[in-house]
Amino acid sequence: MTDLMTDPEVANTILTASAERRAERRRFIKLASGGVAVAGGLTLLAACGGGDSNPAPSPTPTPSPTPSASSIAAEVDVLNFALQLEYLEAQFYAYAATGAGLPANLLSGTGTQGAVTGGRRVTFTDPVVAAYAREIAADEVAHVTFLRSVLGSSAVAMPAINIDGSASGAFSTAARAAGLIGAGAAFDPYASDENFLLGAFIFEDVGVTAYKGASATLIYTAGYQEVTAGLLAAEAYHAGLIRTTLYQKGLATPSLRTSADAISNARDVLDGVQAPTATPTPTPTPSPTPTSTATGLPTGVDSRDLDQGITGTSTVSNIVPADANGIAFSRTVGQVLNIAFLNNAAVTSGGFFPAGVNGNLKTSAKSN
């Protein structure tokens, strides 16, 4: 596998940017730790009187859950699962922005190390989209580096990844599941600015919902929930950026909006995430579900779906895929793997991870 060396100037810019982001995170953690110490000192002063003859009683803190060996191991599993999503995103964006993938020192670890199939530099025509690609690439490289440093010797190796734009590649399989192309056709995310944005759209919302789902489970090891929250925020910025750009470009090219909406529908069919109906309704006689003849996957849309496209109303956009409370939804590990494997059955490989993933969280959910 090639390192980030195809374009030395651009590659150096991205690696420098990712290094700066890591330094900023370290400064933030140091400052945050200092803030906790100061807050603790103020609480102690208040408890001792602190010059107030009638201090208000301090609230009784909620006890933290007692960690066990199994609960800590489960948290490591979750972070390793997140690391593999970051491997996938980092490779896609790094190739699109520079023409080469992650450096070799960011690929090793426990489990079977794989190679990347596909990936090449996009010849961007819009300098704004090119700038976005370089920024996100730097963030994703930094995410991989950061998670590997957090996990240390427990970090899993990068599994085999398929980001190929040929007719047999994972992106084309995803596009067929969305009904964007027919049997034997190819969807190449590196062919144009617009294709790149649609390719990125496949990943970004999945990352946000995956981190939201993971955040509630990382409650034992100090700092893990903070790590996940920070990653969730960064991925949400990325997702909002991609959704906004597609929406804006969709003013001149409406097919961009309809294509993004079709990808959203396909994700719903793959993972089975649906909003509950408010009241029971009579069960209608089911109509045959249209399928992609190339993959056998359903291509329809359920009216109760949670995953949302970017098309709103004539006066309101739908940049944020939120519920009635303005809150993003969550996906389980199994549901995330349904989309990554491009399969709505319980399987252990396929799609963007043709040989599966490393670690203990490796099976998609049965959602068909």
Side-chain angles (χ1 to χ4, degrees):
M1 183 187 307
T2 55
D3 291 344
L4 284 167
M5 295 297 292
T6 297
D7 187 321
E9 182 177 352
V10 174
N12 183 65
T13 299
I14 286 180
L15 291 174
T16 299
S18 65
E20 290 173 349
R21 283 165 168 75
R22 292 195 297 276
E24 289 167 1
R25 290 187 181 96
R26 286 194 291 270
R27 286 195 295 272
F28 172 78
I29 292 171
K30 182 177 180 181
L31 289 172
S33 300
V36 170
V38 171
L42 292 175
T43 302
L44 179 61
L45 287 174
C48 295
D52 189 339
S53 59
N54 295 296
S58 300
T60 302
T62 303
S64 300
T66 302
S68 63
S70 60
S71 63
I72 293 174
E75 290 185 320
V76 171
D77 287 342
V78 170
L79 288 187
N80 265 320
F81 178 72
L83 173 59
Q84 293 175 97
L85 297 181
E86 297 295 348
Y87 281 137
L88 174 60
E89 289 190 296
Q91 293 289 19
F92 169 64
Y93 284 111
Y95 270 103
T98 73
L102 288 168
N105 66 317
L106 294 181
L107 305 180
S108 62
T110 62
T112 303
Q113 182 176 325
V116 176
T117 300
R120 73 175 192 273
R121 186 174 183 176
V122 177
T123 303
F124 292 104
T125 58
D126 185 338
V128 174
V129 176
Y132 290 163
R134 288 191 288 269
E135 178 184 5
I136 297 176
D139 285 341
E140 300 299 353
V141 172
H143 288 174
V144 169
T145 306
F146 179 65
L147 280 173
R148 286 173 60 88
S149 69
V150 169
L151 288 161
S153 61
S154 297
V156 295
M158 185 199 76
I161 287 176
N162 185 308
I163 49 172
D164 189 25
S166 71
S168 61
F171 278 109
S172 295
T173 303
R176 277 191 288 273
L180 302 185
I181 57 175
F187 174 78
D188 184 357
Y190 313 101
S192 66
D193 296 41
E194 292 74 19
N195 279 18
F196 163 77
L197 291 168
L198 290 172
F201 181 70
I202 294 173
F203 296 141
E204 288 301 341
D205 287 346
V206 179
V208 172
T209 54
Y211 280 121
K212 172 131 183 313
S215 62
T217 67
L218 302 173
I219 58 176
Y220 296 103
T221 303
Y224 275 13
Q225 197 168 54
E226 182 77 10
V227 166
T228 307
L231 290 167
L232 168 60
E235 296 297 344
Y237 275 117
H238 296 166
L241 181 61
I242 296 298
R243 292 174 71 95
T244 299
T245 308
L246 281 168
Y247 186 88
Q248 183 178 34
K249 286 183 173 291
L251 292 172
T253 310
S255 62
L256 282 176
R257 293 185 183 180
T258 56
S259 294
D261 294 344
I263 290 170
S264 169
N265 294 340
R267 289 192 303 233
D268 261 317
V269 173
L270 284 167
D271 66 15
V273 178
Q274 297 176 344
T277 51
T279 56
T281 56
T283 303
T285 302
S287 300
T289 303
T291 62
S292 163
T293 56
T295 65
L297 294 176
T299 59
V301 56
D302 191 292
S303 62
R304 299 172 296 151
D305 62 352
L306 281 178
D307 196 305
Q308 300 168 24
I310 62 175
T311 303
T313 67
S314 60
T315 58
V316 180
S317 63
N318 194 57
I319 302 304
V320 181
D323 64 13
N325 297 313
I327 297 173
F329 68 97
S330 302
R331 280 187 172 95
T332 65
V333 167
Q335 290 164 340
V336 171
L337 287 176
N338 284 133
I339 298 171
F341 293 160
L342 298 176
N343 196 316
N344 57 8
V347 297
T348 57
S349 64
F352 296 100
F353 293 110
V357 294
N358 291 312
N360 295 319
L361 305 176
K362 58 179 63 178
T363 304
S364 59
K366 180 177 173 57
S367 62
N368 56 347

